[in-house]
Amino acid sequence: MRLAGSLLLSFALPAVLALSISDALAARREQVVLMQGNVAGKQIVETAADGSVQVEYHYTDRGRGDRSKTRWRLNADGTLADYSGSGNDYLLNPFEERYRVDAGRASWKNPSEQGEKALSAPAFFLPLQAAPEIGGTLARALLRAPERKLAILPAGEARIETLGEHEVIGKNGPVKLTLQRVSGLNFTPQSLWLHADGSTAATLYASGWFAVIDAELQDALPKLLELQERSDAAWGAQLAQRLTHPAQGPLLIRNARVFDPRDLSASAGTSVLIEGERIVRVAPDAQLKAPAGAEIVDARGRFLMPGLWDVHKHYSSIEDGALDIAAGVTSARDVANNFDTFPERVKRFEAGTEVGPRVMMAGFIDGPGPYAGPTKMLVDTPEEAIKAVDFYADRGYMQIKTYSSLKPELFPLIADRAHARGLRVSGHVPAFMSARQFIEAGADELQHFLFVELNFMYPRVQDTRTKARLTEVGEHAHEFPPSKPEVREFVDFLKRHHTVLDPTMALAEDLYGGDPDAKTPPGLRGVAERFPPQAQRNLSWGALKPPHGKEEAYQQALPTMLQLLKAVHEAGVTILPGTDALAGYMLHAELEVYSRAGIPNAEVLRLATLTPAQVMGVDKDRGVIAPGKLADLVLIDGDPLADMRDIRKVDLVFKGGKRFDPAEIEQALGIVPRKQAAASPSAL
C-alpha cells in the first residue's frame, strides 16, 4: 500500500479553524510522522521574519518514502504568491516543482504538469508533491476567503466547515483543538486538527494508518483518532441513507442475461426473484410470475452477474466502500489495516450504516527493523509470533498476512498456529526466503506476482525488503518466460501445492507499463477524466524509471509477466483478482489485464466471482446467482464475455437485495457519471 506525500494530498487537504487566525505562527514548529504508531519521519516548519515559510519533510516506509524541502511566500489573502520545492517522491524519483504569480497570471510546473492561468479572483495552488503543512496553509486562506471557499489551481474549488472543539491532554497539560473538514479536493471531505492560533496540530490519514502530529500530542493520538472516526462515521451514515434503496417487498429482475460462473453460460430471458437479502428463484421469464406487491426491475436484456470480489484491499479513505459498490464489488478481503479501528468499520458495512461490500479481514504480521511494514504487530520471538496469530483469530480474522521483515524461522510457527486456528496464511515472501521455501513452510497464497518472478532470482536476490524487489523484476523478468524449464517446473510446483496467487497485475502494469511522469495509471485511462480535478492528480502508484541501458528490459517485463500469468492459469493454479490500489475502478483494470494476457473472458469472470467465494469458504452464500444465495448482483450495460472493457459499464448493483445506483454514488462523490460523460464530453 502506498502512502506517499503526493497521496497525502488525495487522502486529505484539511481546513482551518474558524477562530481568529494568527498571521504570525510560531517561528519553528516540529511534528512527528507516525505510521501505525511507529515513528517514521518528521516535518519541520520554519517561518522567517519576512513571513516566508520553509518546510523540511521526510518519512521512510520500507526503504521508500518522500523527502522534500519546500519554500513559499503568501499573498495578503493567504494564497501562495510563489512556491518552490525539490526532493524525491515515494519511489525515490527526484522532483522539482515551481509556482508563481506575476502580474495577475499564475504559472506552475512539476514533472507531470505545466500550466498557466490568468487570475480574476484569488486562487490557491496545490503543489503536486507537497509536505502536509501545505494543508494548513490552504486552510488559513480558506478562513479568510468569502463564504470560506476558494478556487483551486490547477482546477477545482475547496470549502471548509468547523465540526467542533475538543480538549485533549498533551504532555504539558490540556490542549484545546478544533476538528475541521474540507471538501472539494477529493471524492469525500477530509479532516484536520488545529490549535487555537490556527497552526496545524495533527493530520490523520487513512484511519490513523499515517499521522503527522505535534510531538506534544502523541499520547492524545488515540483520542483524536476516535473523535475523527466518529465524525467520519456520521458523515458516512448520512451518505448511506441517501444512496441505499431497499425494496419494500419482493424484488423481481426480469429479462436479464444471467451469467453462471459454474458452467460459464449466459442465459437470456431470465428472471431472478429476491425476497429480503436472498435469491429465492431463478427461472425463464415465462415461468416466473411476479408476486403480489413485487418491485420489478426490467433488465432489458442486459448482462446480470454475481457481485465482484477484490481480494487485496486496504480500506482507508471514507469513499473506498462506496467506490467499490459503484463498481460492482460486493465482496472483498482487506489484507492489512488498523486493527484498533477497522473491525468497527466492517461492522458498519455489514449494518448498512456505511456503503461498502462484505469484507473479510486478514491480520498483518511483520518483524521489527528499518524496513518493517506499517503495523503495530511486529514479532521477534516464537512466543510473540504465536500470540499475534491468536490475537487475530480471537477477533474474527480469517487469514494471516506476513510481510518482508519477518524472520524466516518464525514463519512455519505462524503458519502452523494459523492453520490450527482455522486461518489461511499468505503474504509477501519474507526476505532471505524464496517463494518455494515460503510455500513449503506452510503458505497457502502469495500476494503479488512479483514474488513468483523473484523466486527465479533467488538466491542472487534475497533481501526483498527494499525497492530492489521492484527493480530486479523490471530488469530480469524477461529472462523467465513460461517456456523456460525452471519456470515450467515452478508452475507445476504451485499446482501440486494448491497455491493461490493474488497477482495484483494492474499494479504491475502501472509499475512496468506506465509513464513515470504521468498522473494516471494505464488501468484508469478513460476513467480518471471523470474524477474530481484534484483526485485526478495522484492516482498512479508510480511507474518505475528504467536505469540507463535497462530500458529494453523494462519494456519486456510486463509482456513476459502476462505470458506467465496465462501459463499459470492454464496449468490450473488458482488466481484471485485483487488491486492494492484505488477502490472499485482498479478491479476492472485487473480483470482487463487478465483478458489481455489471454485468459478467456468467461473464465476471468469466474475468477472474479465464484473462485474467491470458494477459496474463502463462503460459496454457500456467494459467487453464483442461484436460489438460497445472497442477492449480491451486478447489472452490466454491455457484454464482458465479448469485451472485458464492458465490465466498467455498471448500471445497477444489489447487495443483499438492496439496490445501489452507480451514477447516484458517483455524483455524490464528485465523479461525472459514465453515461453523462458519454452523452456530454463537455461535462468533464
Side-chain angles (χ1 to χ4, degrees):
M1 178 182 181
R2 182 189 177 198
L3 279 168
S6 59
L7 274 191
L8 296 181
L9 286 176
S10 62
F11 276 129
L13 266 176
V16 163
L17 192 51
L19 305 177
S20 60
I21 305 284
S22 170
D23 289 316
L25 299 178
R28 178 185 170 93
R29 294 181 288 123
E30 188 170 313
Q31 293 185 313
V32 63
V33 178
L34 302 173
M35 297 189 72
Q36 279 284 40
N38 302 316
V39 175
K42 187 179 294 187
Q43 177 176 254
I44 300 173
V45 181
E46 294 185 297
T47 304
D50 64 358
S52 62
V53 178
Q54 180 170 301
V55 180
E56 292 190 24
Y57 170 62
H58 75 273
Y59 74 92
T60 300
D61 176 23
R62 297 159 285 177
R64 295 158 277 170
D66 289 27
R67 181 175 292 273
S68 65
K69 288 186 177 181
T70 52
R71 185 182 183 280
W72 61 80
R73 291 186 306 109
L74 300 178
N75 296 310
D77 58 13
T79 60
L80 297 183
D82 61 62
Y83 174 95
S84 62
S86 62
N88 64 258
D89 65 14
Y90 179 74
L91 285 180
L92 309 183
N93 298 313
F95 77 89
E96 289 191 6
E97 187 162 20
R98 299 285 184 272
Y99 168 81
R100 64 175 298 177
V101 179
D102 188 11
R105 192 165 193 85
S107 61
W108 59 90
K109 184 178 181 181
N110 56 52
S112 59
E113 298 172 332
Q114 183 170 355
E116 60 179 45
K117 186 174 184 179
L119 299 180
S120 57
F124 196 100
F125 173 72
L126 284 179
L128 184 64
Q129 193 73 30
E133 177 59 22
I134 202 71
T137 305
L138 167 65
R140 289 182 280 278
L142 281 168
L143 283 172
R144 294 174 175 172
E147 300 180 20
R148 295 186 181 175
K149 63 182 180 180
L150 276 172
I152 297 297
L153 296 175
E157 180 182 85
R159 299 174 299 282
I160 182 176
E161 64 175 317
T162 303
L163 300 180
E165 185 177 67
H166 302 274
E167 184 174 276
V168 297
I169 305 301
K171 291 181 180 177
N172 299 319
V175 180
K176 287 187 177 181
L177 304 176
T178 302
L179 180 60
Q180 301 290 328
R181 177 179 288 158
V182 68
S183 58
L185 298 178
N186 198 18
F187 301 106
T188 51
Q190 304 294 330
S191 303
L192 178 72
W193 291 93
L194 300 161
H195 288 289
D197 65 356
S199 61
T200 310
T203 312
L204 314 181
Y205 307 95
S207 297
W209 190 289
F210 192 100
V212 184
I213 187 169
D214 289 351
E216 179 204 350
L217 295 175
Q218 270 186 259
D219 293 342
L221 179 58
K223 183 63 176 178
L224 295 178
L225 181 58
E226 175 193 339
L227 293 167
Q228 185 168 315
E229 287 276 299
R230 188 185 306 164
S231 172
D232 289 347
W235 186 91
Q238 292 177 348
L239 184 70
Q241 189 172 28
R242 295 198 336 253
L243 298 178
T244 307
H245 304 287
Q248 300 306 307
L251 174 66
L252 180 62
I253 303 173
R254 281 209 177 280
N255 190 23
R257 184 173 172 231
V258 174
F259 174 69
D260 190 334
R262 294 171 295 189
D263 60 7
L264 306 183
S265 64
S267 302
T270 301
S271 291
V272 179
L273 179 63
I274 299 166
E275 292 186 4
E277 66 174 4
R278 293 191 180 267
I279 299 166
V280 297
R281 192 173 177 205
V282 180
D285 290 333
Q287 298 178 16
L288 211 166
K289 182 180 179 181
E295 177 183 338
I296 298 176
V297 174
D298 184 358
R300 303 196 312 275
R302 287 171 290 178
F303 191 85
L304 186 67
M305 62 180 292
L308 296 167
W309 280 76
D310 185 340
V311 304
H312 197 125
K313 300 290 299 185
H314 301 283
Y315 286 96
S316 54
S317 300
I318 311 174
E319 68 268 11
D320 286 350
L323 287 174
D324 269 343
I325 293 295
V329 177
T330 59
S331 291
R333 179 183 64 186
D334 188 287
V335 292
N337 218 302
N338 186 339
F339 54 69
D340 290 328
T341 59
F342 186 61
E344 290 302 313
R345 189 174 189 191
V346 172
K347 291 177 183 178
R348 295 197 295 271
F349 287 158
E350 292 174 352
T353 56
E354 182 174 347
V355 177
R358 306 178 193 277
V359 178
M360 307 182 81
M361 299 183 293
F364 189 43
I365 300 175
D366 200 10
Y371 302 105
T375 178
K376 291 180 279 189
M377 194 61 76
L378 303 176
V379 302
D380 200 38
T381 67
E383 294 75 18
E384 291 173 348
I386 298 300
K387 185 178 179 181
V389 174
D390 288 342
F391 174 90
Y392 288 122
D394 292 343
R395 287 160 177 78
Y397 286 68
M398 51 74 64
Q399 187 162 328
I400 296 296
K401 177 189 175 184
T402 61
Y403 210 66
S404 303
S405 291
L406 182 72
K407 289 179 179 178
E409 61 268 26
L410 294 181
F411 179 74
L413 301 176
I414 289 174
D416 288 349
R417 185 66 167 192
H419 290 149
R421 295 295 307 268
L423 277 62
R424 302 179 70 254
V425 183
S426 70
H428 288 211
V429 177
F432 311 106
M433 283 184 97
S434 67
R436 180 186 294 270
Q437 293 167 345
F438 186 57
I439 293 163
E440 289 174 336
D444 302 300
E445 179 181 342
L446 291 178
Q447 260 79 55
H448 305 299
F449 209 64
L450 294 174
F451 287 102
V452 174
E453 299 287 351
L454 288 165
N455 184 76
F456 307 129
M457 304 171 202
Y458 184 89
R460 182 182 61 81
V461 180
Q462 295 193 43
D463 191 351
T464 54
R465 297 173 297 175
T466 69
K467 188 181 174 182
R469 73 166 174 258
L470 309 179
T471 57
E472 291 289 340
V473 171
E475 290 189 26
H476 299 287
H478 72 282
E479 300 170 9
F480 303 100
S483 59
K484 199 166 186 176
E486 66 177 289
V487 176
R488 293 200 304 269
E489 188 280 328
F490 187 63
V491 172
D492 290 341
F493 171 86
L494 295 173
K495 172 61 176 175
R496 290 195 310 272
H497 285 77
H498 306 284
T499 304
V500 174
L501 300 181
D502 161 20
T504 61
M505 292 304 296
L507 188 60
E509 182 183 43
D510 189 8
L511 283 169
Y512 304 113
D515 179 351
D517 294 328
K519 298 178 294 182
T520 305
L524 292 177
R525 292 171 189 163
V527 179
E529 293 81 359
R530 300 194 282 117
F531 293 173
Q534 291 301 319
Q536 294 181 30
R537 301 179 75 199
N538 298 291
L539 294 170
S540 178
W541 200 90
L544 294 173
K545 290 185 177 181
H548 181 67
K550 302 293 184 181
E551 292 85 358
E552 185 175 352
Y554 270 65
Q555 288 174 3
Q556 295 178 20
L558 182 64
T560 306
M561 293 171 74
L562 294 182
Q563 293 172 22
L564 182 53
L565 181 75
K566 180 184 179 185
V568 163
H569 173 73
E570 290 178 341
V573 177
T574 299
I575 294 171
L576 301 180
T579 56
D580 196 16
L582 180 71
Y585 304 102
M586 280 297 278
L587 191 277
H588 297 159
E590 184 79 7
L591 303 185
E592 289 177 25
V593 172
Y594 296 177
S595 178
R596 291 201 304 274
I599 301 175
N601 286 2
E603 295 178 24
V604 172
L605 295 184
R606 177 163 57 195
L607 295 177
T609 55
L610 178 58
T611 303
Q614 292 171 329
V615 171
M616 306 299 165
V618 294
D619 51 314
K620 174 181 175 292
D621 292 318
R622 302 185 231 176
V624 177
I625 299 175
K629 307 290 186 182
L630 290 166
D632 295 352
L633 315 170
V634 185
L635 187 64
I636 305 288
D637 187 19
D639 186 2
L641 293 178
D643 187 343
M644 189 53 68
R645 290 174 297 183
D646 281 359
I647 197 68
R648 298 185 184 272
K649 299 177 180 179
V650 180
D651 265 5
L652 287 177
V653 179
F654 299 88
K655 177 193 169 190
K658 295 176 180 177
R659 177 175 57 83
F660 295 89
D661 181 347
E664 188 179 22
I665 294 175
E666 289 183 327
Q667 284 185 317
L669 300 180
I671 302 169
V672 178
R674 173 179 54 83
K675 290 184 177 179
Q676 180 182 339
S680 177
S682 62
L684 298 176

